[in-house]
Amino acid sequence: MPATAPPTPTTPQPRDPYLSWAQDTGFSGHAAFAKAAARSRHGAPQLPLLIKLPLESSPQALSCRAGIQLPPAYLDPALNSRFCCAWVERAALNGLNAAVAEAALSLPLPGQCLEAAEHRLPEREDMADAPLVIGVIDKHCALLHRAYRRAWQGEGAAQSRLVGLWEQGRRSEGQAGSPWHCPADFGYGRALGRTAIAALLPGLDSAEDEAATYRRLGYPLDAQGQLQPMLHGHQVLDIAGGLAREQALPASAVPMRSGDRADPVEQAELLFVDVPEPGPEDSSGAAADAYILDGIHYILRRAGPRARVLINISIGALAGPHDGHSLLEEAMDELLLSHPQLAITVAAGNAAQEPWHARGQLDPQMQKAGLHWHTIPGDATDSFMELWFFAEDPQAFSSLRLRLQSPSGQVLEAGLGEDRLLPGTPERPLAGLYFQLAGAGRAQALLALAPCSGERAGECAGVWQLEISRSSDDSKRPLRLAAWLQRDTPGRSSRPLLQSFITGCSGGLSLDGGSALSSLASGRYTVVVGAARALDGSRSAYSPTVGISAYGAADESAAVYGLLCAGALSGSWARLSGTSAAAPVVARALAPLLLASPIPAMSSQARSMEGGGGSNHSQVGRPAEPGLWRLAAGLLGASFAGDTEENKAHRVVLPASSDSAEPARLANELARARQQASLSTRTARPRGGS
């Protein structure tokens, strides 16, 4: 009797393995959240999650479930999206899978609960009133800096172009006389609007005056009571939207003003979203994806329906599917499809030289692969590795087995669809392995390790040996695989970052830094920016080499890292390097193209009427060329006469003078981009897996 084939694995609803690890450890990796939950007087503590809704559901339906609350912005009838953020009580987590298609945990905030509020549009005075709006989603903004004024001198020097700042991780206490308020359309954090920011400017005649105002605003200070000089998000905002400089500076990331020619960026109004950071007691860092999506909607709602909107995101994690199907990447692509006047630039990441990513194809003879995962003595944070498997034949996953051996010889094994814990003390397992199907043609495993030191210490530091195997009967079913370490996230902690790393790859696996993109850099329509050197246009060694839409200048040369931009206080300078600097350089170069484009913007009301509103998730207002800005970015920039073979494949956007925004040249670039876009949309395919 012939042997029958094993049943084809079904595709169950994916669960967030990071949330599973947090639950299995009693949220002990988020100690501040757990402690605040125990003594909360603001109702049951809530966890922020990024949600993908089923086709038949809607944000309004999800918000009716017990223990689940949505920021009011997602209850806007004009919003037509499958993606939203929700704040969920721990008691409601077990029933969440029945109500959503997918969910992903973001960093829990101690003491933060969503404030109940009805949906309403932002106050008119807090709305941007310019044809171009530049938004930055990052960490830390020096909102008083003169680079954000309307001019360096004269009447404009007393007026700010920054019309909104939202600090998501800090509560608005509602004290009398405080300029901070909680944004009513999101229900958490604290914000300053146009009027509040304008009221802070009179009397700021020196850097010392600025520092004193920051202290009154409750800004985090260093041990000497001073504002820290390096503010990542502030420097990114300066590069993307700060005033052009009055005089030339060597290696400046911001262009010099060119005569009387108007710089379109100087006419833009600015919005900044400050995402939360892990606190000193957070040893199990979590993603900021829910906060980033909230930030994009915050910017769009305040930009108005007719403005051209440019958003830069120079933050992100490392691990993920890297096939365009992470929840946040899908959400951004959906927004870009329905907002033809929106462009989003994303930093590609800086991990090309790091041993954090391996990929390959399972050895067809041995049907085994393996690697060594090293943890570092003294590491007081959890360590995470994501494994992703890709195959066209769903049977290729059926016999997969994972075996993880600890430095002390303890073994953890799991097959597809199984979760396993290496026991320690109650609610403090030493390690976890979560292995599941994660959509059509792919499977995911999360390997989670408790810290090596500190209050939650588990196994001692050393080498964890991973073996991946499957039955020889599956040898004719090709299987691609990738291993990604989750990068440690710096936060408000003085402990050193002791990043784990990979060695000893075997069985078809090998380290591949060139494809080590950020977790947000594989979407179909975002502009993904790599880093290059201003001196000769060569790629910066830390920048990934694949999946790049455009290269931006980020370093002076191979010997001198970084370019100059604004320091924390007006009149001071700092250097910023990495694709974090390259992305806003490219964003600034895209701004004139965005303004020159005749693509019509659709109002929220028009989008609602066309799409029917409610739970209809059809892609409305879809532009004919959804990849236009991605293609246009690749056409911008300079080519170098002395190009090597390596550099011939790309041009580099330089922070040149505003002469580079010459309208005729931009029109030609846009026409070429449109021609390429029309060709690519006829032959477009979804981006493949690892």
Side-chain angles (χ1 to χ4, degrees):
M1 185 174 179
T4 58
T8 300
T10 58
T11 306
Q13 185 176 319
R15 296 170 295 109
D16 179 16
Y18 290 94
L19 179 56
S20 297
W21 174 250
Q23 290 178 292
D24 287 338
T25 56
F27 288 88
S28 57
H30 302 289
F33 168 78
K35 290 177 182 176
R39 60 174 185 267
S40 175
R41 297 182 180 179
H42 301 281
Q46 297 171 316
L47 295 163
L49 293 113
L50 177 56
I51 301 291
K52 182 177 182 179
L53 294 166
L55 284 169
E56 67 278 5
S57 186
S58 68
Q60 290 80 2
L62 182 63
S63 68
C64 293
R65 297 181 69 93
I68 299 177
Q69 195 173 357
L70 270 62
Y74 294 103
L75 304 179
D76 183 349
L79 183 65
N80 203 5
S81 174
R82 290 188 65 187
F83 298 91
C84 65
C85 298
W87 290 59
V88 182
E89 297 174 13
R90 287 176 64 175
L93 289 174
N94 291 335
L96 183 66
N97 278 358
V100 303
E102 291 184 60
L105 175 68
S106 285
L107 179 69
L109 296 177
Q112 283 261 36
C113 289
L114 210 62
E115 294 185 11
E118 294 183 3
H119 158 68
R120 66 180 187 190
L121 291 173
E123 298 293 338
R124 182 66 190 91
E125 65 180 23
D126 291 333
M127 297 281 285
D129 190 24
L132 176 65
V133 173
I134 297 175
V136 166
I137 301 173
D138 212 292
K139 299 176 182 179
H140 310 303
C141 177
L143 75 155
L144 304 176
H145 200 282
R146 289 183 175 271
Y148 309 141
R149 310 289 176 87
R150 298 199 177 275
W152 289 110
Q153 300 174 3
E155 183 179 339
Q159 302 170 4
S160 179
R161 292 179 295 126
L162 185 65
V163 298
L165 166 65
W166 181 22
E167 293 188 352
Q168 296 174 319
R170 304 185 69 183
R171 294 188 60 182
S172 173
E173 301 298 341
Q175 297 174 342
S178 171
W180 298 100
H181 69 277
C182 177
D185 48 346
F186 289 92
Y188 70 97
R190 66 177 193 173
L192 296 172
R194 180 195 299 270
T195 303
I197 293 172
L200 297 171
L201 301 185
L204 297 183
D205 299 323
S206 67
E208 290 75 13
D209 294 334
E210 289 180 15
T213 303
Y214 287 127
R215 284 192 285 273
R216 289 197 301 272
L217 289 171
Y219 262 51
L221 306 174
D222 62 21
Q224 287 73 43
Q226 299 297 319
L227 194 69
Q228 54 184 331
M230 299 293 291
L231 297 174
H232 187 273
H234 160 57
Q235 291 159 347
V236 169
L237 182 60
D238 176 46
I239 297 171
L243 290 173
R245 302 312 188 223
E246 293 284 345
Q247 57 185 13
L249 288 169
S252 173
V254 183
M256 182 188 72
R257 177 179 292 280
S258 178
D260 295 329
R261 186 186 297 276
D263 181 355
V265 169
E266 295 187 349
Q267 310 306 313
E269 294 193 310
L270 312 175
L271 289 157
F272 190 93
V273 178
D274 192 336
V275 301
E277 294 181 289
E281 295 181 279
D282 281 304
S283 60
S284 183
D289 290 7
Y291 302 111
I292 293 174
L293 183 59
D294 280 354
I296 295 173
H297 282 287
Y298 172 88
I299 291 167
L300 289 175
R301 288 170 64 82
R302 282 151 182 79
R306 303 299 300 179
R308 309 301 170 94
V309 183
L310 184 57
I311 296 176
N312 186 88
I313 304 172
S314 286
I315 54 176
L318 183 65
H322 293 82
D323 61 356
H325 291 298
S326 73
L327 291 187
L328 183 54
E329 286 172 323
E330 288 186 345
M332 289 193 293
D333 279 345
E334 182 193 69
L335 284 168
L336 287 162
L337 280 167
S338 59
H339 290 73
Q341 76 277 29
L342 170 65
I344 299 177
T345 50
V346 175
N350 306 318
Q353 295 177 296
E354 306 293 350
W356 299 344
H357 168 50
R359 63 184 294 180
Q361 185 160 320
L362 200 63
D363 188 306
Q365 302 300 322
M366 300 289 293
Q367 290 300 300
K368 285 186 179 181
L371 57 79
H372 292 166
W373 182 13
H374 297 253
T375 54
I376 311 298
D379 187 357
T381 64
D382 297 45
S383 296
F384 299 100
M385 178 190 292
E386 291 186 29
L387 300 174
W388 286 88
F389 304 89
F390 302 90
E392 294 182 3
D393 184 348
Q395 286 287 351
F397 306 124
S398 59
S399 64
L400 270 172
R401 297 288 300 176
L402 305 180
R403 184 180 188 273
L404 183 65
Q405 181 174 308
S406 76
S408 67
Q410 299 187 76
V411 173
L412 195 58
E413 290 190 74
L416 187 64
E418 297 177 342
D419 296 344
R420 295 286 185 265
L421 295 175
L422 195 62
T425 59
E427 286 198 336
R428 292 201 177 175
L430 305 180
L433 200 167
Y434 307 88
F435 195 8
Q436 63 177 339
L437 288 174
R442 63 181 188 166
Q444 176 200 19
L446 175 70
L447 284 60
L449 307 181
C452 302
S453 68
E455 186 178 327
R456 298 180 55 234
E459 271 274 356
C460 58
V463 180
W464 292 74
Q465 299 178 52
L466 173 66
E467 182 181 279
I468 304 164
S469 63
R470 66 174 179 169
S471 167
S472 58
D473 295 339
D474 293 327
S475 60
K476 294 183 179 180
R477 299 184 176 103
L479 180 70
R480 292 173 295 120
L481 60 154
W484 296 87
L485 296 186
Q486 194 60 282
R487 183 171 59 89
D488 279 350
T489 303
R492 292 176 285 108
S493 173
S494 59
R495 59 174 175 260
L497 293 178
L498 301 172
Q499 177 68 52
S500 63
F501 61 93
I502 296 170
T503 65
C505 297
S506 63
L509 272 177
S510 60
L511 290 172
D512 183 11
S515 63
L517 289 165
S518 156
S519 61
L520 305 184
S522 298
R524 295 189 67 182
Y525 307 126
T526 48
V527 178
V528 179
V529 182
R533 299 159 181 150
L535 180 66
D536 61 3
S538 60
R539 179 183 61 85
S540 297
Y542 53 78
S543 176
T545 58
V546 301
I548 304 299
S549 312
Y551 284 88
D555 297 310
E556 191 170 343
S557 67
V560 183
Y561 281 76
L563 296 175
L564 289 173
C565 52
L569 301 175
S570 296
S572 65
W573 296 92
R575 276 187 184 265
L576 185 66
S577 181
T579 58
S580 287
V585 166
V586 171
R588 189 176 189 117
L590 271 176
L593 281 175
L594 203 64
L595 282 171
S597 168
I599 294 176
M602 295 182 69
S603 68
S604 296
Q605 183 178 8
R607 287 198 302 273
S608 176
M609 291 173 63
E610 182 172 327
S615 61
N616 177 8
H617 297 300
S618 61
Q619 293 167 334
V620 298
R622 177 171 179 160
E625 343 163 87
L628 176 64
W629 307 123
R630 187 180 193 126
L631 288 162
L635 295 170
L636 292 171
S639 57
F640 290 79
D643 272 355
T644 64
E645 286 299 320
E646 177 193 3
N647 300 337
K648 284 182 179 178
H650 66 259
R651 305 171 75 183
V652 178
V653 176
L654 300 170
S657 72
S658 53
D659 278 335
S660 63
E662 196 272 319
R665 186 183 70 82
L666 291 177
N668 290 335
E669 299 287 7
L670 193 59
R672 289 169 59 194
R674 285 176 179 278
Q675 185 177 11
Q676 289 195 22
S678 65
L679 292 173
S680 66
T681 52
R682 290 198 292 268
T683 59
R685 291 182 178 178
R687 297 177 67 136
S690 146

